[in-house]
Amino acid sequence: MQDSALKNKTCLSGLSETELISLAEKMQWPSYKGKQLHSWIYKKWVSSFDEMTDFSTKDRNYLKENYYLSPLTLTQKQESKDKTIKYLWKLKNNNLVESVRMFLEEHESYSACISSQAGCAVGCPFCATGAIGFKSNLKANEIVDQILGIQRDTKERIQNIVFMGQGEPLLNYNEVVKAIHLIKDSVSIGARRITVSTSGIAPQIKKLADEKLQITLAVSLHAPDQKTREVLVPISKKYKMNELLESLHYYYEKTKRRITIEYVMLEDINDEPEQAKELADLIKTLHCHINLIPYNPTETSRELKRPPMNKVYKFKEIVEKRSGKKVTIRHERGVDIDAACGQLANSFKS
Ligand code: SAH
Ligand code: SF4
């Protein structure tokens, strides 16, 4: 739909059931019609008002004149050999963001990797989104509608959500928390199946802990020492290692949810056995597991390299033995379409 056609219209995607009920009442409709709207949007993933067959033609016309269903326009879609699908969406402000749908063999279910911002201000040197810089914060409905948009397209239910697309979720805190509530209550994906990945915005981690959501927190640590971390995650100059670790312990105390430590492995930068030992000692008392992510080369960071896999295995073994924690190595998906989480952004630019 043309943007001009949407002027003065309200978007329905992103409204809660309560909001849809009061919207129905405002139109002097019985409140159950609000519930029906909620169900068409979030459970049946309709793309048009005409699909709402329990509304009369008159009601549907009224809805068409005053409302629209999605704040996103699908601009491009790519499917990889392993069935991973990458979507490019255009926002109302014309910025582009991406989402990826993956099949998780171990759970026999679909997972969506979604964006919370267009671009990102944190500027990690290995990340394609970081190379773009910050463009804009997504609204809660633009976050949630990525999931609905994927379900509308595939007609298959998504059961896991990871905030590992573009952006730093905790720098768009309010809209992300609002989106999490909608994902739980309206999209009906349980909090335990939602993971927020952050570069380590310590004060916001504490704030999130106080929300007492049962979501999983993943933290992009990437280095066991302050000096290396400052190179890999520039915002760590502001939120230092000690403060970050303190916030992680706090998160666990408040939520009793085990934390995921993410560690992108880069050759000759953070892959040495000494660093594995240091990492193990650093996180020994934290309730966490460690996810090693072999670096996915991006066009914007050609000088960086992925370590040989035997070095990754060695690193895993050291951390595992010394810390007693579970260590996993992230399995890549959609490599042929650059769909790996965190490196979505640049590949669509022509
Ligand atoms: N901004 C958040 C979430 C988005 S990035 C964060 O940084 O945590 C999601 C994950 O992908 C992060 O752990 C990030 O470090 C990782 N990532 C980014 N670019 C990558 C690349 N080129 N190779 C491997 N992992 C990458
Ligand atoms: Fe931003 Fe995360 Fe990319 Fe760093 S890794 S630039 S925090 S999106």
Side-chain angles (χ1 to χ4, degrees), residues 197-255:
S197 174
T198 176
S199 58
I201 317 296
Q204 305 298 73
I205 291 175
K206 284 191 164 176
K207 201 169 161 192
L208 190 64
D210 290 333
E211 310 269 352
K212 296 225 175 71
L213 292 160
Q214 282 295 294
I215 57 170
T216 300
L217 181 71
V219 178
S220 297
L221 197 66
H222 305 332
D225 63 283
Q226 177 64 27
K227 200 161 158 246
T228 314
R229 194 159 191 270
E230 282 187 13
V231 176
L232 297 180
V233 189
I235 208 161
S236 62
K237 289 178 196 138
K238 191 164 173 193
Y239 307 110
K240 299 214 161 48
M241 193 71 104
N242 288 348
E243 189 187 352
L244 174 59
L245 281 169
E246 201 239 312
S247 74
L248 298 183
H249 283 284
Y250 183 87
Y251 190 89
Y252 180 79
E253 281 318 311
K254 286 279 164 168
T255 63

Side-chain angles (χ1 to χ4, degrees), residues 126-127 163-165 167-169 197-199 220 222 262 264 293-296 298 330 341-343:
F126 52 85
C127 171
F163 280 81
M164 292 191 189
E168 168 45 55
S197 174
T198 176
S199 58
S220 297
H222 305 332
E262 297 169 283
V264 169
I293 316 169
Y295 165 64
N296 276 304
T298 70
R330 186 175 293 171
C341 285
Q343 62 158 70

Side-chain angles (χ1 to χ4, degrees), residues 63-107:
L63 288 169
K64 276 185 226 170
E65 276 160 30
N66 295 286
Y67 300 95
Y68 61 99
L69 280 168
S70 165
L72 305 177
T73 309
L74 179 59
T75 302
Q76 202 174 327
K77 179 184 160 186
Q78 271 178 285
E79 191 159 351
S80 80
K81 292 192 197 93
D82 65 8
K83 303 280 176 213
T84 300
I85 313 176
K86 181 164 73 166
Y87 295 87
L88 180 73
W89 314 103
K90 195 165 150 186
L91 310 176
K92 288 272 153 299
N93 64 10
N94 287 333
N95 285 333
L96 299 173
V97 293
E98 283 150 285
S99 327
V100 173
R101 189 194 77 155
M102 298 157 278
F103 184 67
L104 303 178
E105 284 89 6
E106 60 281 23
H107 300 113

